[in-house]
Amino acid sequence: MTTRTNLLDLTPSEAERVLREFAEAHGAGAYRGSQTARHLWTAPVATFEAMTELPAAFRALLAEHFTMPRLELTAQQTSTDGTRKFLFRMHDGQSIETVSIPDDDRVTFCISSQAGCPLACAFCATGAMGFARNLTPSEIAGQVRELALLDPPLRATNIVFMGMGEPLMNWAAVDRVLTILNSPQGFGIGARHITISTVGWLPGIQALAARPEQFRLAISVHAPSDALRATLMPVNIKFPLDDVIAAAADFDRRVTFEYVMLGGVNDQPEHAKMLASLAKRCRAFVNLIPLHPGGSMGFTPTGPSEIGKFARTIRAQGVEVAIRKSRGTDISAACGQLRVERLARGRPATADEDREVEIA
Ligand code: SAH
């Protein structure tokens, strides 16, 4: 038998075309192909067998020619604030994390794009584990599909590529996943509700800018000078701040700066002023992020009142700024932290990790 086609690696329109042609070729009527395609993303089911409106013989035929691979859910945790974190194992034993964050009428999924990460940002748990491999489209979009298959299902209204990995270093797959997430024949999530977070990987920013949809771009700035940024983010040597800011200015939609507050490192008044002037150069909105303590070796979080002061200094320069609410700190729901915790074999959480960081 020839190798089976993984339907979840195709865009919804490709999958529908392939399935309609397949159905016709097997004398089942093209509409059977469209019925099958609906069960990939819009009304997902776990197996071909479960597509019960299709004739049993056709379901068996589908299973002979196609796959819809699952991700194996190996751990999950729920925070006191409702944030849920999932650890999925893939066919080769690699693990990735997905986080679901409810907030009023929104549910944001934080998804992973790589197993590990090659960029080694100094404060990041994923960076510390090194890089294993890029995820395939079905492994990235599959995270959203798996949560939709839970009982009861978890449905995303918003997606952020802020899990493990650098999405723009895996553009070929992420490009496809954006289509799956956004397309009405996919998950139908509005482009403005989908955010790609990047260290400033320039070729990827250009590729994203070339897409016609209004996907959002967030840039992990974390330091307002090349000298400081290079010590925190080695990628700054390849793509210096000036070039990243220029790419952000060229991006035809409003970008967000992410800035993780590292006590005594990047949280002084002069940093706030420099950051504000960078933001002005590309009309960016600044998001200040309290450091998630778990797994961030050697750094201490800036206190809530200092973060407030830092925000006011930025606002005084005429730049919009917000302080991100820390979510799921009791379950280490930051980049790479669940996987790190599992690797540490049940190391008990410290008192610090148990407390929610509260922002005034
Ligand atoms: N590689 C991409 C996306 C993944 S990380 C990027 O760097 O943007 C998503 C965000 O979480 C980034 O802004 C990253 O810097 C931040 N982050 C990593 N470790 C963190 C920690 N310990 N506390 C708070 N934010 C963290």
Side-chain angles (χ1 to χ4, degrees), residues 123-124 161-163 165-167 197-199 220 222 258 260 289-292 296 335 337:
F123 46 83
C124 176
F161 283 78
M162 294 184 188
E166 168 52 47
S197 177
T198 178
V199 294
S220 293
H222 303 326
E258 291 168 278
V260 62
I289 309 172
L291 176 71
H292 269 260
S296 44
C335 200
Q337 292 184 350

Side-chain angles (χ1 to χ4, degrees), residues 122-133:
F123 46 83
C124 176
T126 305
M129 65 180 77
F131 178 63
R133 66 173 174 85

Side-chain angles (χ1 to χ4, degrees), residues 22-35:
F22 176 83
E24 256 186 339
H26 289 81
Y31 76 103
R32 293 295 190 192
S34 297
Q35 283 180 319

